[in-house]
Amino acid sequence: MRKLDQKLLQIGYMLFVFVSVMSLSSWNLYFAKIINFNTTMIIFVLASLVLVSVISDWTITRIAAVIVFSGLLLVYFQLYRSSYILPVLLSLIVGTGFHVKTVLKCDFYSRLVSVILVVVLSLFSILPKSGYGADLTDFHFTIFCYGFTYANILAFEIAVLFVESLLVFKSKMGYQFLLVIIVTIVEIQLGYETGAVFCIVGYFVYYTTRQSSTKMTKIYLTAATLFVPIFTFISVYIAKMYSSTDTLWNSINDLLSGRAEIWQYYYQAMPIKPWGNLQTINQKTMGVVGFGAFDGAFIQFLLTFGVISILLLFFLLFLVTISKREIKNKRILAVLILPIVLSGFTETNGFLVTFSPFYMLISANLFSVAQEVSLESTPRTLTVSEEVK
């Protein structure tokens, strides 16, 4: 039954990644009548995976985690009905039935195939390869890029795939170093410097944890955990204190690509609350500050989903840091989580279920029964130098 459950979960997860990537593409702008890869479909696939995962083994820890996540899911559903916090909580529930390595491999291969498919569709002019698309979406920043609605989307997916590839494939360090240079150049060419930093940080964490003990892995996970409240506080401070008449603040705003002004705009319209706010700003209105763009995972989660959402992120990462799971699995999380958290100060992508396996990996590491069985049956201490098999 366990093998059947894992096979069904793997197939379902690959379908989920495919739907997620297609939802990020321009497909829905042209072929929604054929099949619409929207939030409703994403939630449906995740809910189906929750049902499949029920037949897998359970422990008290997993039951408690599912109860907590389900409770939060019900509260947020009552408050906001359809919202991207719902897929986040569903992903955390689904992740309790997965192996960490299964999530990693399924995500990499299915994401790679899905991204390539979108790019190929654009090369055959089925989806737009380039061009301005604000007239179709009513969103100022819609500039098509190889089938996706914005270059940053494709660039972030490439960055995630690169970091995952380091963990999935065994290759010589020379080839990996050459690859990180190539991918970094691609990110810069796409105009996504955050993606370039993402790749460099991911490679640095991977390289420095290859032959070390648990110490470096724990340092990186601890840093990622502490960055959540630190970045949240800094974001709120900037939003509160920003002044367009002050030279220093204007310089900071320029450094943040206009985010200081945007953060203040949302901060004033959506005060900090325990459970967040209904969206009060029409992001398709061309006249609003920043044309409705709202980047920065920590301040966006804080204002939209409240203090509870930030506490949830913090405690999940804290539990990952202190958990006594397989060091190989914790290393996988460190390599992916630190770049995502660092990019989260200015970007939200990594904290959305459509862009990365962030929540699935965390939940699988903390609450999966398979992980507990694997740990208990391991007769020796595992070293981080062993790659994902």
Side-chain angles (χ1 to χ4, degrees):
M1 183 65 74
R2 182 184 296 167
K3 289 184 177 179
L4 174 62
D5 173 55
Q6 285 296 310
K7 288 295 182 183
L8 291 174
L9 282 174
Q10 289 174 37
I11 295 171
Y13 183 74
M14 289 188 285
L15 175 62
F16 160 69
V17 173
F18 172 73
V19 172
S20 296
V21 173
M22 293 303 294
S23 73
L24 299 173
S25 74
S26 55
W27 175 276
N28 289 342
L29 296 176
Y30 301 94
F31 305 108
K33 290 183 179 180
I34 298 176
I35 182 170
N36 193 349
F37 298 102
N38 55 16
T39 303
T40 301
M41 179 177 285
I42 292 173
I43 291 176
F44 175 79
V45 174
L46 284 172
S48 300
L49 283 172
V50 170
L51 294 177
V52 172
S53 69
V54 169
I55 65 177
S56 60
D57 295 331
W58 290 79
T59 63
I60 297 299
T61 302
R62 186 185 177 195
I63 292 172
V66 170
I67 290 174
V68 171
F69 297 145
S70 299
L72 291 172
L73 181 70
L74 290 174
V75 172
Y76 278 112
F77 179 76
Q78 286 295 320
L79 289 173
Y80 306 125
R81 292 296 185 267
S82 180
S83 172
Y84 58 86
I85 192 69
L86 302 185
V88 166
L89 293 167
L90 284 170
S91 294
L92 288 170
I93 295 173
V94 172
T96 64
F98 268 108
H99 295 260
V100 168
K101 294 167 193 171
T102 300
V103 174
L104 176 65
K105 289 185 176 181
C106 286
D107 190 88
F108 174 75
Y109 288 112
S110 54
R111 194 173 299 277
L112 178 63
V113 171
S114 301
V115 170
I116 290 175
L117 174 63
V118 173
V119 173
V120 169
L121 289 176
S122 73
L123 295 178
F124 283 94
S125 300
I126 297 174
L127 296 178
K129 181 180 177 182
S130 60
Y132 190 62
D135 55 327
L136 295 173
T137 63
D138 294 328
F139 188 61
H140 175 74
F141 295 103
T142 304
I143 302 176
F144 297 119
C145 181
Y146 293 99
F148 292 93
T149 55
Y150 193 35
N152 287 9
I153 296 176
L154 175 59
F156 194 91
E157 292 290 71
I158 291 174
V160 170
L161 285 169
F162 164 71
V163 175
E164 288 181 333
S165 71
L166 295 175
L167 297 162
V168 171
F169 298 114
K170 288 184 179 181
S171 58
K172 294 181 178 180
M173 293 304 296
Y175 293 129
Q176 293 174 343
F177 184 71
L178 178 62
L179 183 60
V180 72
I181 292 175
I182 294 173
V183 174
T184 300
I185 293 174
V186 171
E187 295 288 326
I188 294 173
Q189 288 297 312
L190 288 171
Y192 193 54
E193 289 77 10
T194 301
V197 175
F198 187 105
C199 294
I200 293 171
V201 172
Y203 177 76
F204 180 80
V205 175
Y206 172 81
Y207 180 80
T208 55
T209 56
R210 276 179 64 87
Q211 303 298 333
S212 65
S213 63
T214 61
K215 183 178 180 180
M216 291 305 298
T217 299
K218 188 169 185 179
I219 288 174
Y220 293 133
L221 289 173
T222 301
T225 303
L226 294 177
F227 279 140
V228 173
I230 291 172
F231 284 159
T232 301
F233 174 79
I234 293 175
S235 300
V236 171
Y237 181 80
I238 291 173
K240 185 177 181 179
M241 302 303 295
Y242 170 73
S243 173
S244 60
T245 60
D246 185 90
T247 304
L248 176 60
W249 277 115
N250 278 323
S251 298
I252 293 174
N253 189 45
D254 291 338
L255 182 64
L256 294 172
S257 301
R259 287 179 175 83
E261 185 179 14
I262 297 170
W263 290 351
Q264 186 176 76
Y265 186 72
Y266 280 83
Y267 177 76
Q268 293 175 344
M270 302 164 65
I272 297 173
K273 296 179 181 178
W275 294 97
N277 301 270
L278 287 170
Q279 187 69 44
T280 59
I281 296 175
N282 181 2
Q283 292 185 308
K284 293 187 177 182
T285 301
M286 299 295 283
V288 303
V289 173
F291 299 101
F294 188 17
D295 273 334
F298 304 108
I299 190 167
Q300 185 176 132
F301 270 61
L302 178 65
L303 300 184
T304 308
F305 305 120
V307 177
I308 299 299
S309 66
I310 296 297
L311 290 176
L312 176 64
L313 289 174
F314 175 78
F315 280 114
L316 285 173
L317 293 181
F318 176 73
L319 289 175
V320 168
T321 303
I322 66 172
S323 67
K324 298 185 183 300
R325 297 293 191 167
E326 287 187 35
I327 187 60
K328 287 195 299 183
N329 293 335
K330 293 186 70 171
R331 183 201 179 207
I332 290 171
L333 267 68
V335 173
L336 277 164
I337 284 177
L338 187 58
I340 288 174
V341 171
L342 287 175
S343 68
F345 179 60
T346 57
E347 301 281 347
T348 309
N349 294 349
F351 289 84
L352 304 178
V353 298
T354 49
F355 281 90
S356 78
F358 180 77
Y359 301 102
M360 289 277 193
L361 285 173
I362 289 176
S363 186
N365 181 72
L366 289 175
F367 309 115
S368 172
V369 176
Q371 297 305 127
E372 292 185 2
V373 172
S374 176
L375 184 62
E376 292 171 359
S377 61
T378 302
R380 60 186 178 85
T381 302
L382 297 169
T383 61
V384 288
S385 60
E386 296 175 289
E387 302 296 329
V388 175
K389 295 181 179 179

